[in-house]
Amino acid sequence: MAELAGRVALVTGGSRGIGAAIALRLAREGADVALTYVRSKARASEVVAEITACGRRGLAIEADSADPTAVVRAVEQAAADLGGLDVLVNNAGIYPYGPFDAVELDEIDRTLAIHVRGAFIAAQAAARHMGEGGRIINIGSCFADRVPYAGVSLYAMSKSALTGLTKGLARDLGPMGITVNVVQPGSTDTEMNPADSPDADAERALTAVGRYAGADEIAGTVAHLAGAEAGFITGASIAVDGGFAA
Ligand SMILES: NC(=O)c1ccc[n+]([C@@H]2O[C@H](COP(=O)([O-])OP(=O)(O)OC[C@H]3O[C@@H](n4cnc5c(N)ncnc54)[C@H](OP(=O)(O)O)[C@@H]3O)[C@@H](O)[C@H]2O)c1
């Protein structure tokens, strides 16, 4: 029996990168999976086609995580169309980077709206559908704990807030049998952070293993947290960062 058979998952930002890898991994382990996207409609449809090819049900929902109404609608649609909700993965993210002085108010607001408020609202809506065995998994960043260079204050602030949210939610939802954890990836080869970018060698040098992760390596940890064996892990920040934080 597949580990996640009979479970329903929603992955925000599942059209590409780490979110797409998570959506596919959960489907391969037996879950039906809804995913959100904001721009990449065709790619979201491709991920759904791959989920369907695994014999699972897939659903792509256009929903900007910066828009609370859209976030709640996505949770409700996933639960209604797929018959409940057991696993929420708050993955949607952006990477604001640049001189501290140049960061503008709307960039601060949008980053916090996607990474923090969107995750909060999604968890609130999702928890109403979950019972014993429910799983909320936030995708944070190794920059939540350690910031190795300038230009990422806004990004690091937002991911640290997600870590605080994770701990609070673990306390709020623990009595209902719902676990809440944050996975903190290090450098992972996606369009957000390509392994062949001009800065990539400097990022590799910050790790213990001297390389980038593949998105599947992040997805594997998420799948474990989604499964039954992870029922005693909650409120945890789990680094999948090649030793960046060592
Ligand atoms: N790559 C890394 O090195 C790294 C390291 C640490 C943490 N992370 C975190 O991992 C997560 C995924 O990153 P990634 O590298 O896979 O990035 P990516 O390749 O840029 O993919 C981002 C995904 O998020 C979606 N998205 C972006 N803004 C959204 C919004 N407002 N509403 C809904 N969906 C939205 C995108 O949808 P569209 O395709 O429709 O735009 C896409 O599916 C992020 O939270 C990121 O901060 C990444």
Side-chain angles (χ1 to χ4, degrees):
M1 168 84 81
E3 172 72 16
L4 300 178
R7 309 272 281 169
V8 175
L10 169 64
V11 181
T12 68
S15 50
R16 54 197 171 86
I18 292 170
I22 292 168
L24 284 172
R25 178 65 187 259
L26 297 179
R28 287 189 187 114
E29 299 218 2
D32 293 329
V33 183
L35 55 98
T36 69
Y37 64 94
V38 64
R39 283 174 298 269
S40 306
K41 183 173 186 169
R43 295 177 67 179
S45 300
E46 286 168 22
V47 178
V48 168
E50 288 187 70
I51 291 168
T52 308
C54 298
R56 306 314 322 163
R57 289 181 296 165
L59 176 68
I61 304 167
E62 183 182 346
D64 184 344
S65 288
D67 174 355
T69 307
V71 170
V72 173
R73 180 179 44 75
V75 170
E76 296 308 325
Q77 191 181 337
D81 288 13
L82 298 179
L85 188 60
D86 305 292
V87 180
L88 168 68
V89 183
N90 282 311
N91 164 81
I94 56 174
Y95 185 58
Y97 172 77
F100 173 68
D101 263 2
V103 176
E104 299 201 357
L105 198 55
D106 60 357
E107 195 179 11
I108 297 172
D109 288 345
R110 183 159 175 81
T111 302
L112 292 174
I114 296 169
H115 290 177
V116 186
R117 188 180 67 185
F120 191 114
I121 297 288
Q124 216 173 29
R128 294 186 185 115
H129 293 279
M130 291 179 179
E132 180 73 35
R135 299 278 189 267
I136 297 175
I137 301 154
N138 296 321
I139 306 302
S141 165
C142 60
F143 286 8
D145 295 331
R146 179 167 171 251
V147 180
Y149 46 73
V152 293
S153 294
L154 174 56
Y155 183 77
M157 173 175 74
S158 70
K159 293 298 190 177
S160 291
L162 192 57
T163 300
L165 172 61
T166 299
K167 293 178 183 185
L169 286 177
R171 292 287 183 185
D172 285 333
L173 301 177
M176 296 161 61
I178 300 169
T179 66
V180 189
N181 295 289
V182 59
V183 172
Q184 297 182 324
S187 303
T188 305
D189 186 17
T190 66
E191 284 156 50
M192 179 184 282
N193 187 7
D196 60 358
S197 79
D199 297 329
D201 282 341
E203 292 209 21
R204 273 185 274 270
L206 292 167
T207 68
V209 297
R211 68 173 179 85
Y212 270 54
D216 287 346
E217 294 181 277
I218 313 303
T221 296
V222 172
H224 175 70
L225 289 170
E229 284 189 349
F232 204 57
I233 305 172
T234 196
S237 305
I238 297 171
V240 186
D241 66 359
F244 170 89

